[in-house]
Each structure stands twice: as structure tokens, then as C-alpha cells.
Amino acid sequence: MRLLERMRKEWFMIGIVLVIAAAKLEPSVGVNGGPLKPEITVSYIAVATIFFNSGLSLKTEELTSALVHIKLHLFIQIFTLAFFPATIWLFLQLLSITPINEWLLKGLQTVGCMPPPVSSAVILTKAVGGNEAAAIFNSAFGSFLGIVITPLLLLLFLGSSSSVPFTSIFSQLFMTVVAPLIVGQIVRRYIKDWLERKKPPFGAISSSVLLMIIYTTFCDTFSNPNIDLDKFSLVLILFIIFSIQLSFMLLTFIFSTRNNSGFTPADTVAIIFCSTHKSLTLGIPMLKIVFAGHEHLSLISVPLLIYHPAQILLGSVLVPTIKSWMVSRQKGVKLTRPTV
């Protein structure tokens, strides 16, 4: 079993390299409006598949217990929608004295204001074996909060405001997140015994969907003509984005593993991914709405277009390391637990 799991991870890492190379070679295939129609296959079908898969594989009692884990939910939402954007704002005050394009810096601020994604954090938490139920709840709940809070944060930090089509965004979230999850849970009730006996490859299904998301995301990134920046600026923005991600992942790890934190290793995994990931699916439409007609919209969008594939790539690379830590920590807890 361990050999199969190791082989699956290796093939997944190879798959990441291949889909990125394919996106670079011919990005027109996976862009919006292209042959794959990612505006439908990814935004709706892929995301819905992820949450139906989660609803089918997740034990109902685990999801129910996750709903009452108030401390964990507060930690993730406050970090994502308050601490993250505020810290980025302070960091940008220092960067403002550098020669970096001011609109790229404003783009970094918009990244901080974005809600969590409804897919990547869940898939990566599941890949590690963390608290998937908590990841599902916080990804969905954070997305709903972001519909209201993100425009307010953009107004606060950047001074931009506009009317946001809350109804259409809520409808999309319900169709792609809530409904598939509920349907998956209902179907599970009727085929629970079969699922436990056959053990379908839920992990492989989620990994395949993630590869598709990675591919179409990089297609959008590589095909965007407005990302034709000078190499120095592009490298600098890439370095800053990866530094931000690693710093915040380390910060959430330190906070959630303190002796008095009250979080389990599985909780920490969900916290690391849910607190630091930002949504491109919700983010780009929001930027197009809030900055409608803005002459520098393309430059403002660049950091988010980079951040999204970078978070998936970095998270995927760190999955084996985080999983090894979680397993060793869980074994340590079991060994130190007194016997009755």
C-alpha cells in the first residue's frame, strides 16, 4: 500500500510538470473560450466534482463534528480576511520606496484581500490526510464571506468600490460547492457499505481534477498578453509571492502547533492550506467588477494570476513533507497517550 501511495505521488509530481509544459507549449487549448471550455469544465464541473467526491468519501459524523470546531474556523477566517490583507498592506509600505511598478504592488494588495479558493485547499488537505471536513467548511464559508468582505477590503486599502452581483456569485457557489457536497452525502448513505468494501480511488480522482485545474490556470497565465513584463519585474514579483506564501504557511504552522493551541496535527494541515490560499475563480471576476474600465486592470491582475498557480505548485511540492510531519506527530501522540 505504501509503495502504491509513493508511486501515485511520484506520478502526480510528474503530471504537474507535464501539464505546465503543455500549457506553455499551447496555452490556447485551456484558456477561457478554448476547446476545453474551462469556464464550464473547471469553474462548474471540476469544482462540483471535487465537492461531490468529498461528500461521497467524507464520513457524515466527521463533517458534523467539524461544524462545531468554532476556534479553528475563527482562526482561519480571521487570518485569511483580516491578518493577511493587513500584513500585506504593512509590507507594501516598505516596498513602495522601491522601483517596483506601483500597480503590481496594488495587485499584491488585491491578492491579500481575496477569499480562500473552493477547491485547491480541500484537495491538498485531502492529499496530506488532514482535516478535510474543516477544509471543506472553511473553503465554502470563506468564499461566501469573501463575496461581501473582499469588495469592502478593496475599498479600504485601494479606494475602489462598485456594485457586486452577490446573487449570481452566491448561486454559483451553491451550485458548485453546497449542492454537490449535499448530494454526495446523500448518495453515501445508500452505498456506504459498498464504498467501505470497494474503497474507490477518491485520492486519484481529486489529483486528476487538480491537474486539470493546474493546466487551465497556467494556460490563462501563459496566454495573457498583459503579463509581458520585463524579466526583472517578473522575477521579483515571483520571488515576493513565493516568499509571502512560505512565510504565511510557516506562520500558521507555528501558531497552530503551540502547546496550548488546542489543534490536532490534522487541524494544522487544514489551517496551513485554507489560511494561505487565495481564490482565482472568485478573484478575477471581482477585480473585473471592482476595477471595471480601469486602465491598469491588467497589471493589477498579474500578481493574482501568478499567486494562484504558485500556491497549487508549492502546496503540491510540500504535500509529502507535511504528510510525513503529520504522521510522525500523530504516532507520537498515540505513543504518549496513557493506557487505561
Side-chain angles (χ1 to χ4, degrees), residues 2-3 5 37 113 144-145 256 258-259 278 298 301:
R2 288 183 179 178
L3 179 60
E5 182 68 17
K37 302 291 182 183
C113 297
F144 280 107
L145 281 180
S256 61
R258 293 178 302 168
N259 291 332
K278 295 294 183 176
S298 59
S301 304

Side-chain angles (χ1 to χ4, degrees), residues 94-110:
L94 298 175
L95 291 179
S96 62
I97 62 175
T98 67
I100 301 175
N101 186 293
E102 66 170 309
W103 297 105
L104 289 178
L105 294 181
K106 289 181 183 293
L108 284 174
Q109 183 64 70
T110 65

Side-chain angles (χ1 to χ4, degrees), residues 223-255:
S223 66
N224 193 324
N226 299 308
I227 302 185
D228 187 21
L229 302 171
D230 62 276
K231 292 182 179 180
F232 174 77
S233 296
L234 193 57
V235 170
L236 203 56
I237 288 296
L238 278 169
F239 175 76
I240 291 172
I241 285 174
F242 274 104
S243 298
I244 289 172
Q245 288 187 22
L246 283 171
S247 299
F248 280 140
M249 290 179 80
L250 180 60
L251 202 58
T252 54
F253 177 80
I254 292 172
F255 285 159

Side-chain angles (χ1 to χ4, degrees), residues 9-277:
K9 288 178 184 176
E10 291 176 351
W11 278 111
F12 180 64
M13 295 305 297
I14 293 172
I16 292 176
V17 175
L18 291 176
V19 297
I20 293 175
K24 176 64 175 176
L25 185 65
E26 190 55 62
S28 62
V29 175
V31 297
N32 285 347
L36 286 183
K37 302 291 182 183
E39 64 273 17
I40 298 173
T41 56
V42 171
S43 298
Y44 290 92
I45 298 175
V47 174
T49 300
I50 289 168
F51 283 92
F52 175 76
N53 188 45
S54 295
L56 202 60
S57 61
L58 193 64
K59 294 179 180 178
T60 305
E61 56 271 19
E62 290 180 357
L63 186 58
T64 305
S65 64
L67 298 179
V68 297
H69 203 334
I70 305 299
K71 184 178 179 180
L72 186 148
H73 305 327
L74 284 175
F75 182 98
I76 291 175
Q77 300 306 326
I78 290 173
F79 190 98
T80 305
L81 296 171
F83 181 84
F84 199 127
T87 303
I88 292 295
W89 182 82
L90 291 173
F91 180 53
L92 292 182
Q93 303 313 300
L94 298 175
L95 291 179
S96 62
I97 62 175
T98 67
I100 301 175
N101 186 293
E102 66 170 309
W103 297 105
L104 289 178
L105 294 181
K106 289 181 183 293
L108 284 174
Q109 183 64 70
T110 65
V111 171
C113 297
M114 290 301 148
V118 294
S119 55
S120 61
V122 174
I123 293 176
L124 291 169
T125 300
K126 183 181 180 67
V128 173
N131 191 339
E132 184 189 357
I136 289 173
F137 177 84
N138 281 282
S139 293
F141 184 60
S143 296
F144 280 107
L145 281 180
I147 294 171
V148 177
I149 295 178
T150 292
L152 296 177
L153 290 174
L154 292 173
L155 173 63
L156 175 65
F157 290 111
L158 298 174
S160 295
S161 63
S162 179
S163 58
V164 178
F166 296 109
T167 303
S168 62
I169 299 177
F170 268 114
S171 299
Q172 181 176 348
L173 283 173
F174 181 82
M175 287 189 296
T176 59
V177 177
V178 180
L181 185 64
I182 293 174
V183 172
Q185 285 283 285
I186 293 173
V187 173
R188 178 181 173 80
R189 287 189 177 187
Y190 292 97
I191 61 173
K192 182 178 179 181
D193 293 337
W194 181 85
L195 290 172
E196 293 179 353
R197 187 172 64 255
K198 296 294 184 180
K199 299 187 183 303
F202 293 116
I205 294 172
S206 295
S207 296
S208 300
V209 175
L210 181 56
L211 286 175
M212 181 180 179
I213 294 173
I214 293 173
Y215 172 70
T216 56
T217 301
F218 271 95
C219 282
D220 272 337
T221 302
F222 290 138
S223 66
N224 193 324
N226 299 308
I227 302 185
D228 187 21
L229 302 171
D230 62 276
K231 292 182 179 180
F232 174 77
S233 296
L234 193 57
V235 170
L236 203 56
I237 288 296
L238 278 169
F239 175 76
I240 291 172
I241 285 174
F242 274 104
S243 298
I244 289 172
Q245 288 187 22
L246 283 171
S247 299
F248 280 140
M249 290 179 80
L250 180 60
L251 202 58
T252 54
F253 177 80
I254 292 172
F255 285 159
S256 61
T257 53
R258 293 178 302 168
N259 291 332
N260 60 345
S261 68
F263 298 127
T264 66
D267 292 338
T268 295
V269 173
I271 287 171
I272 289 173
F273 291 125
C274 292
S275 300
T276 60
H277 279 211

